[in-house]
Amino acid sequence: MNVIKILIINGPNLNMLGKREPNVYGKNTLEDLECSIRKTFKDNIEFEFFQSNHEGFIIDKLHEANCKFDGIVLNPGAFTHYSYAIADAIRSISTKVVEVHISNIHNREEFRTKSVTASACIGQISGFGFYSYILGINSIINYEVE
């Protein structure tokens, strides 16, 4: 069986999960998220995890990941709402990218309801907590262009 390689990229402040606004993002940490993903997908999937609070590092990681992974699950954090540079980076690679969010960005402050990065991705999943990542990974595994 072929091994599926998936990169999980987390943007700014996601390193503070468990401490930052637990009423919105929950009490579990980024490490808890990574463990949960590994436990859910045990066979034939290889994960790499990356987190940065810096836009340029995320762009560099997207560029480096091109054609090295079967898919990328990206939570751009606040960059979702204004990083045309990350959107352009997604558009510049051939690896499929799914945007995910822990909270429902469409049910939050007005400035958080718009995503400038989603249109560069094959889809967006938000509002299901850590399960958004599981849905995003499943989307990559099962995605077929018609």
Side-chain angles (χ1 to χ4, degrees), residues 31-43 45-49 134 137:
E31 184 178 298
D32 294 333
L33 171 63
E34 293 173 8
C35 288
S36 175
I37 289 170
R38 288 187 197 282
K39 284 180 186 174
T40 302
F41 298 95
K42 294 178 186 171
D43 298 324
I45 300 184
E46 218 174 84
F47 291 103
E48 182 176 319
F49 297 92
I134 304 303
I137 294 163

Side-chain angles (χ1 to χ4, degrees), residues 52 54-61 79 86:
S52 180
H54 306 282
E55 183 179 34
F57 292 164
I58 293 170
I59 292 166
D60 289 343
K61 192 67 173 180
F79 291 138
I86 289 176

Side-chain angles (χ1 to χ4, degrees), residues 17-119:
L17 286 174
K19 298 175 185 165
R20 176 183 173 221
E21 298 180 88
N23 58 319
V24 174
Y25 300 104
K27 295 179 181 175
N28 292 319
T29 66
L30 188 59
E31 184 178 298
D32 294 333
L33 171 63
E34 293 173 8
C35 288
S36 175
I37 289 170
R38 288 187 197 282
K39 284 180 186 174
T40 302
F41 298 95
K42 294 178 186 171
D43 298 324
N44 299 321
I45 300 184
E46 218 174 84
F47 291 103
E48 182 176 319
F49 297 92
F50 178 79
Q51 187 279 326
S52 180
N53 295 316
H54 306 282
E55 183 179 34
F57 292 164
I58 293 170
I59 292 166
D60 289 343
K61 192 67 173 180
L62 287 164
H63 292 170
E64 291 168 13
N66 191 35
C67 299
K68 293 180 183 171
F69 292 88
D70 297 294
I72 300 169
V73 174
L74 169 65
N75 184 338
F79 291 138
T80 300
H81 315 296
Y82 64 87
S83 182
Y84 294 99
I86 289 176
D88 287 346
I90 295 166
R91 286 187 182 95
S92 75
I93 64 174
S94 59
T95 303
K96 55 192 167 199
V97 179
V98 175
E99 180 177 303
V100 300
H101 298 281
I102 294 168
S103 67
N104 181 353
I105 66 168
H106 304 288
N107 193 30
R108 300 207 40 211
E109 303 94 333
E110 180 63 30
F111 77 93
R112 292 188 197 272
T113 62
K114 174 147 173 79
S115 171
V116 301
T117 51
S119 65

